[in-house]
């Protein structure tokens, strides 16, 4: 159910090719009209010749870049990205689509009323890309994409899961966000100190809306951003790797006009796990935060798998709201 979007690596050196051709043609036409035979026409003729030279230089530079690109395995590729509501499969308009490679942002676009955006990029064959789609009220999703041969056409689809509205509980000292009724067992919840809430001016807690969406199995985690992990202290060749998911959570707090409310840590997170899941005993587990600026999950400390009778629960103290995941490193990472 994952899909990729449009790449926006602009043809900076060649995007004015048509303009250069037009300028060159105009320069030749005007020069022919003046004739350039009279002394009074010399400044005009020289000016036109300079414009013609620059135009031809631009055309030559653009052609050279295209030839070098092909020699280096770089080709122009257009990617059609389609974004849908995971619930009723309706197309999502005005979804923000971003493309990344090697922890770097490449391009952005927005879907039309049919949930579609087309982005053309200069693509090096074999390079892995990550396409991400986001929209207010939905869980961000992303997918990896790459090609070994230049595709004649490619289309990627992303399905966004609607965020789950949560119960917001305000006390004298703390704020709780939870699913279900207060005090119910085996439910996800988040708690932080009231003084750490960055409440905007002229806004009260009655104006706030909380969203809490969780997943505690592999299929559910697929509706979150693709679990590509990144650790800055690793070597270049081993800094990025696919993670094995245990659980994921999306925590957001909004004002009545849709603005995000910032909350500083510590933020206590608790997510129940299935008894037949990947982890069946108490243990430490790596925790990751989704960083939209680079399109990957960044290592952010360690959480705990706690056990109460037969019930397992992932607990973690987060520094901020957003997207968090408990996920295991590949065996090759030695952890």
């Amino acid at each position: 159910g994952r899909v990729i979007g449009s790449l926006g690596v602009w043809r900076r050196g060649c995007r004015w090719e048509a303009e250069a051709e037009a300028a060159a043609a105009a320069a030749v036409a005007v020069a022919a009209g003046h004739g350039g035979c009279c002394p009074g026409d010399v400044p005009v003729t020289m000016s036109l010749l300079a414009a013609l030279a620059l135009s031809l230089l631009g055309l030559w530079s653009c052609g050279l870049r295209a030839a070098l690109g092909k020699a280096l395995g770089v080709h122009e590729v257009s990617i059609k990205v389609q974004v849908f509501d995971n619930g009723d499969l309706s197309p999502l308009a005005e979804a923000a689509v971003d493309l990344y490679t090697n922890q770097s942002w490449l391009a952005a676009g927005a879907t039309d009323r049919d949930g579609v955006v087309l982005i053309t990029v200069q693509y090096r064959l074999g390079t892995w890309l990550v396409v991400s789609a986001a929209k207010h009220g939905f869980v961000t999703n992303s997918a990896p994409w790459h090609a070994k041969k230049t595709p004649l056409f490619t289309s990627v689809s992303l399905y966004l899961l609607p965020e789950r509205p949560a119960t917001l509980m305000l006390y004298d000292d703390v704020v709780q966000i939870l699913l279900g009724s207060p005090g119910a067992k085996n439910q996800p919840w988040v708690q932080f100190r009231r003084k750490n809430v960055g409440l905007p001016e002229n806004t009260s807690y009655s104006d706030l809306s909380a969203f809490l969406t969780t997943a505690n199995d592999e299929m559910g985690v697929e509706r979150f951003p693709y679990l590509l992990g990144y650790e800055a202290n690793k070597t270049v060749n081993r800094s990025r790797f696919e993670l094995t998911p245990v659980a994921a959570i999306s925590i957001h707090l909004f004002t009545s006009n849709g603005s995000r409310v910032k909350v500083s840590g510590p933020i206590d997170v608790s997510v129940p796990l299935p008894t037949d899941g990947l982890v069946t005993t108490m243990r430490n587990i790596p925790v990751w935060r989704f960083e939209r600026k680079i399109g990957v999950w960044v290592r952010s400390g360690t959480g705990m798998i706690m056990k109460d009778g037969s019930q397992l629960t992932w607990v973690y103290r987060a520094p901020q709201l957003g997207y968090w995941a408990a996920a295991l490193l590949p065996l090759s990472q030695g952890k």
Side-chain angles (χ1 to χ4, degrees):
R2 297 183 182 276
V3 182
I4 285 198
S6 346
L7 282 176
V9 179
W10 300 277
R11 301 176 59 195
R12 290 193 179 99
C14 301
R15 63 187 301 180
W16 52 281
E17 179 177 358
E19 297 176 10
E21 291 177 347
V28 171
V30 175
H34 278 76
C37 59
C38 302
D41 291 336
V42 172
V44 175
T45 303
M46 293 298 291
S47 173
L48 292 170
L49 288 176
L52 178 61
L54 288 174
S55 302
L56 294 176
L57 178 62
L59 292 172
W60 174 83
S61 176
C62 186
L64 178 61
R65 273 199 262 287
L68 288 174
K70 290 183 179 180
L72 295 173
V74 178
H75 301 264
E76 185 176 272
V77 174
S78 294
I79 302 177
K80 177 183 177 181
V81 182
Q82 304 175 93
V83 183
F84 301 95
D85 183 325
N86 186 68
D88 58 12
L89 302 184
S90 61
L92 289 179
E94 299 182 353
V97 176
D98 292 277
L99 185 83
Y100 311 87
T101 184
N102 297 325
Q103 295 85 246
S104 298
W105 176 87
L106 288 179
T111 57
D112 59 20
R113 64 181 181 179
D114 297 319
V116 175
V117 62
L118 182 68
I119 301 179
T120 300
V121 297
Q122 297 299 315
Y123 174 71
R124 184 185 301 276
L125 294 180
T127 301
W128 280 97
L129 307 175
V130 173
V131 174
S132 174
K135 184 176 175 65
H136 179 72
F138 293 83
V139 176
T140 296
N141 198 359
S142 64
W145 183 93
H146 89 296
K148 294 182 179 180
K149 295 175 61 178
T150 305
L152 298 178
F153 173 79
T154 182
S155 175
V156 180
S157 297
L158 287 173
Y159 298 84
L160 304 191
L161 180 70
E163 292 271 15
R164 293 191 64 180
T167 300
L168 181 64
M169 301 293 296
L170 174 65
Y171 300 97
D172 289 339
D173 53 346
V174 298
V175 177
Q176 286 185 343
I177 299 175
L178 50 92
L179 294 178
S181 302
K185 292 185 177 181
N186 303 330
Q187 66 179 356
W189 58 265
V190 173
Q191 179 174 289
F192 43 86
R193 295 186 66 82
R194 182 176 175 180
K195 66 178 183 180
N196 293 342
V197 179
L199 202 63
E201 292 185 6
N202 301 320
T203 301
S204 66
Y205 281 92
S206 62
D207 299 321
L208 303 185
S209 297
F211 293 87
L212 180 61
T213 308
T214 64
N216 58 12
D217 57 34
E218 187 172 355
M219 182 175 295
V221 175
E222 284 186 355
R223 300 310 178 196
F224 280 70
Y226 179 69
L227 279 178
L228 181 66
Y230 173 70
E231 283 193 289
N233 60 347
K234 296 293 181 181
T235 61
V236 174
N237 292 333
R238 301 182 67 187
S239 62
R240 303 180 308 278
F241 32 77
E242 291 187 0
L243 301 169
T244 302
V246 173
I249 187 169
S250 168
I251 322 160
H252 300 287
L253 197 59
F254 295 102
T255 63
S256 57
N257 64 8
S259 301
R260 293 182 184 273
V261 177
K262 293 185 178 180
V263 179
S264 57
I267 301 169
D268 292 320
V269 175
S270 178
V271 179
L273 302 177
T275 55
D276 59 349
L278 181 65
V279 178
T280 58
T281 59
M282 291 181 59
R283 58 162 292 172
N284 293 334
I285 189 166
V287 175
W288 311 80
R289 173 180 54 84
F290 180 66
E291 179 54 70
R292 187 177 176 184
K293 291 181 180 179
I294 57 178
V296 297
W297 293 83
V298 179
R299 180 69 183 269
S300 185
T302 303
M304 280 286 298
I305 304 298
M306 306 297 292
K307 190 171 185 179
D308 182 9
S310 61
Q311 179 61 55
L312 295 170
T313 304
W314 165 43
V315 296
Y316 176 64
R317 180 158 284 184
Q320 63 188 55
L321 302 181
Y323 293 92
W324 297 91
L328 300 174
L329 291 157
L331 293 177
S332 60
Q333 292 296 117
K335 295 186 180 181

